[in-house]
Amino acid sequence: MRNLWIFISKYNAFFLFLIFETSALIIYIKYNSFQKASFINSSNEITGNLYARVNKFYDYLSLTTVNDSLARENAHLRNQLKSSFYVDTINKHKISDTVYKQQYEYIEAKVINNSVNRVNNYLTLNRGATQGIQKGLGVICDKGIVGKVVYVSAHFSVVQSLLHKDSRFSAMLAKNKAIGYVEWGDDMDQHKCLLKDVSNNVVPNLGEFVVTSGYSLFPAGIPIGKVSNLRAKSGGLMLNMEVALAVDFSKLQYVNVVINKFADEQTGLEAQQKKDE
């Protein structure tokens, strides 16, 4: 306490100056309408900017919750799309309206690990067997196809990315429905893949959309990319094309795992057919 008094006594002139200066400013602002209005406007602007910055900070903290909510909503909306259903044409003859039955379901998931610069790239998702994920399911995002599930634990799953030397998915040119398959190129460009084994009777165009054919893990029409370069397979009867991928794999955050309800029935029947051959 003694030291405090010594400090105040030593700098009493400075403290008196602050007191008189503050008092003068208060009187000046309080009894002059123009200065008072200017002070209020300035203080409101400062306070408003402060509140805006605080609000942005809180918005940033809540981004994870918002993104999770949007991912769930997107998965729900995908489940309602017409492409997720198939038409039961047998029942169509029994009733007046076409009967639609759901063939595809979607489970939203967050990407918690990802690689794009290796020969074999994988993603890890925060969903596993507990949430209904199984090995062999296709994975897509809002931009297009991503890959397929290859490993599953109770709460996590690993996806073999399209950017993998062993990934191969049935695809087609969107305009004329010519079928081929897509795989990652040898140049390991994360923004490109190859559409292979398309009939050479087809005349594709640069910029033409390439989509899923519906013959593999995905519904027909899921985007893959656009034709960016035309290259004939030397000495063969089929065409190869370079495709600019629709998905930027380095920025993946949320995906949807595709469940084909009829996959087991189809594969079982096809396996029986091969056995009988």
Side-chain angles (χ1 to χ4, degrees):
M1 191 67 179
R2 181 172 175 272
N3 291 334
L4 178 61
W5 281 114
I6 293 173
F7 177 77
I8 293 174
S9 299
K10 186 176 181 180
Y11 297 101
N12 61 353
F14 174 73
F15 289 118
L16 284 173
F17 171 76
L18 286 181
I19 292 171
F20 288 138
E21 186 70 19
T22 304
S23 300
L25 284 173
I26 292 173
I27 293 171
Y28 179 70
I29 293 171
K30 184 175 182 181
Y31 295 102
N32 290 275
S33 57
F34 177 76
Q35 284 75 15
K36 184 177 182 180
S38 299
F39 175 77
I40 292 173
N41 288 336
S42 299
S43 61
N44 285 341
E45 184 176 352
I46 294 171
T47 305
N49 287 332
L50 180 61
Y51 284 148
R53 290 178 182 276
V54 171
N55 188 58
K56 284 183 179 180
F57 177 71
Y58 282 119
D59 285 345
Y60 177 78
L61 293 179
S62 63
L63 278 178
T64 299
T65 303
V66 173
N67 287 338
D68 287 343
S69 175
L70 290 174
R72 285 193 296 271
E73 183 177 355
N74 286 338
H76 175 73
L77 292 174
R78 282 189 181 277
N79 286 330
Q80 309 305 314
L81 290 175
K82 189 175 180 180
S83 60
S84 297
F85 295 76
Y86 85 102
V87 182
D88 190 337
T89 55
I90 296 177
N91 288 337
K92 185 176 179 180
H93 297 291
K94 298 180 181 179
I95 57 178
S96 57
D97 293 326
T98 302
V99 176
Y100 287 94
K101 294 183 178 180
Q102 188 165 18
Q103 180 174 356
Y104 296 98
E105 286 184 353
Y106 300 87
I107 301 174
E108 54 86 17
K110 185 176 182 179
V111 178
I112 58 175
N113 194 21
N114 185 18
S115 65
V116 296
N117 54 5
R118 303 173 183 171
V119 176
N120 298 319
N121 293 289
Y122 296 90
L123 304 89
T124 304
L125 309 181
N126 68 339
R127 294 286 187 268
T130 304
Q131 291 79 31
I133 307 298
Q134 301 174 12
K135 182 179 179 181
L137 297 180
V139 180
I140 64 175
C141 68
D142 59 332
K143 300 295 185 182
I145 70 168
V146 173
K148 68 176 180 179
V149 177
V150 289
Y151 303 108
V152 181
S153 67
H155 301 98
F156 300 96
S157 53
V158 174
V159 177
Q160 179 179 298
S161 169
L162 174 59
L163 308 182
H164 189 290
K165 67 179 181 64
D166 295 328
S167 289
R168 178 181 290 190
F169 302 109
S170 180
M172 66 181 180
L173 294 167
K175 185 176 181 181
N176 55 36
K177 313 301 181 185
I179 303 293
Y181 66 88
V182 290
E183 66 178 19
W184 199 24
D186 295 333
D187 57 358
M188 295 175 57
D189 187 335
Q190 62 177 284
H191 301 292
K192 297 177 182 178
C193 71
L194 294 175
L195 175 63
K196 291 188 170 184
D197 286 358
V198 177
S199 171
N200 62 2
N201 294 323
V202 174
V203 183
N205 299 310
L206 286 175
E208 186 171 350
F209 283 99
V210 178
V211 298
T212 55
S213 65
Y215 293 166
S216 57
L217 308 175
F218 313 97
I222 301 295
I224 297 174
K226 294 181 180 180
V227 176
S228 58
N229 190 15
L230 303 174
R231 298 188 299 184
K233 193 173 184 179
S234 59
L237 300 176
M238 312 300 281
L239 297 176
N240 286 352
M241 286 158 250
E242 190 176 83
V243 177
L245 290 172
V247 176
D248 186 346
F249 284 82
S250 65
K251 297 180 179 179
L252 281 175
Q253 290 186 309
Y254 290 88
V255 297
N256 286 314
V257 181
V258 184
I259 299 177
N260 183 351
K261 289 186 170 185
F262 302 148
D264 290 341
E265 179 181 349
Q266 179 180 345
T267 54
L269 187 63
E270 291 172 350
Q272 182 63 45
Q273 177 256 327
K274 291 180 180 179
K275 184 179 178 181
D276 293 339
E277 285 181 350

